[in-house]
Amino acid sequence: ASPRAEMSCGHAVTPMSLTNWCRLLLEKGESRFICGMSGCDKEWSYEEVCKMALLTPEEKEYFEKTMESIAERERRKNTKSCPECKVPVTRKDESNLSVRCQNCTNKKGRAYEFCWQCLKEWKGPQPRTDHCDNDGCFSEALRTLRNCPDIVFESVRNASGCPCIRACPTCGSLLQHSSKNCKNVVCPRCKVEFCFLCLKVTAECTKLSHSFITCVSGVAPRQTSIPVWHQNPAS
């Protein structure tokens, strides 16, 4: 058997299982190496993975090329031309539609912000995840939440009137329930597990109910706004 190495999070892995796990994360388009042990969300540095997985030069080359293309894809997704000066602007906070163009701000001598969604100069309060106050600015995500059909659960008793798509209550990502298994889902973006019915985190919901029956507080209504992810700056 291969020797097991202890990672910085305290979990022990074999070099081969570590390599396979990290390769799987990269193939899914993940740019961070997160421990795969249940309940552990610690991130390992690439340097630690290289050392503990005993990566060959060929594997290192594959990992680095893949990490580069994931980063490039992220950059492209988060970059748009400023509608005023056409200079590319990168959005740093995916939870806020209001984006500042530094070039226009410097030129105008005042803060110039535009809406990532309708690409007009920003109007109204911010941060906002749904829309600005310009006419015709609307959120596809909110439209989806409003119009998606109800879900028919195969395994959860007495659960009716629940939309089949929800915005994660922690980070705002849209998730669709498969209608199979229990009512809890883990958000792929922020990794928080929550109840699809009442929208509470699973630990909170299961204090009074279990995973295959409807919640004590009932089914949460359709969401009319998208939660903003307040990430810990250290994470």
Side-chain angles (χ1 to χ4, degrees):
S2 302
R4 290 161 79 83
E6 187 174 312
M7 303 300 287
S8 55
C9 61
H11 288 118
V13 291
T14 63
M16 183 179 277
S17 67
L18 178 59
T19 303
N20 290 341
W21 172 248
C22 292
R23 191 184 278 270
L24 182 70
L25 289 175
L26 289 175
E27 282 165 4
K28 282 163 61 181
E30 300 280 351
S31 54
R32 298 158 66 217
F33 298 114
I34 307 289
C35 177
M37 295 294 178
S38 177
C40 183
D41 59 359
K42 293 285 183 289
E43 184 177 348
W44 307 315
S45 69
Y46 174 56
E47 291 69 28
E48 181 181 6
V49 170
C50 280
K51 188 174 147 198
M52 298 303 208
L54 311 174
L55 294 183
T56 65
E58 292 78 15
E59 285 170 335
K60 278 186 186 171
E61 188 185 357
Y62 167 79
F63 270 50
E64 284 162 20
K65 274 191 173 158
T66 311
M67 284 157 67
E68 215 170 279
S69 72
I70 291 169
E72 180 55 36
R73 201 160 59 233
E74 282 298 310
R75 273 197 296 276
R76 275 205 303 272
K77 188 179 87 175
N78 289 323
T79 303
K80 286 186 180 179
S81 296
C82 166
E84 181 84 359
C85 69
K86 308 301 180 234
V87 166
V89 176
T90 300
R91 178 162 77 145
K92 294 184 174 63
D93 178 4
E94 282 188 38
S95 300
N96 187 8
L97 285 175
S98 172
V99 183
R100 177 171 297 197
C101 172
Q102 207 48 57
N103 185 47
C104 287
T105 295
N106 296 343
K107 276 187 182 166
K108 294 172 186 291
R110 63 172 177 87
Y112 176 83
E113 280 146 2
F114 66 91
C115 175
W116 195 252
Q117 195 160 258
C118 68
L119 295 177
K120 292 179 183 156
E121 184 166 1
W122 184 266
K123 258 191 189 174
Q126 51 118 335
R128 290 285 290 268
T129 57
D130 44 9
H131 59 80
C132 70
D133 287 351
N134 280 304
D135 286 346
C137 183
F138 68 89
S139 161
E140 277 297 346
L142 276 183
R143 184 179 277 186
T144 299
L145 291 172
R146 193 171 61 232
N147 299 334
C148 69
D150 283 355
I151 185 172
V152 179
F153 283 98
E154 290 178 17
S155 320
V156 184
R157 294 202 307 277
N158 307 326
S160 60
C162 177
C164 67
I165 296 172
R166 294 287 209 181
C168 167
T170 300
C171 74
S173 277
L174 294 201
L175 278 83
Q176 183 157 8
H177 198 291
S178 68
S179 81
K180 295 173 172 54
N181 305 323
C182 74
K183 62 189 181 182
N184 302 311
V185 291
V186 177
C187 173
R189 182 178 174 210
C190 67
K191 309 292 187 272
V192 173
E193 186 177 342
F194 68 95
C195 170
F196 213 77
L197 293 178
C198 69
L199 297 178
K200 292 179 180 148
V201 292
T202 299
E204 201 59 41
C205 172
T206 49
K207 281 179 186 170
L208 298 170
S209 138
H210 73 67
S211 301
F212 291 95
I213 59 171
T214 194
C215 317
V216 172
S217 56
V219 176
R222 284 181 181 261
Q223 292 153 294
T224 54
S225 64
I226 292 176
V228 177
W229 192 9
H230 299 291
Q231 281 177 278
N232 182 337
S235 68

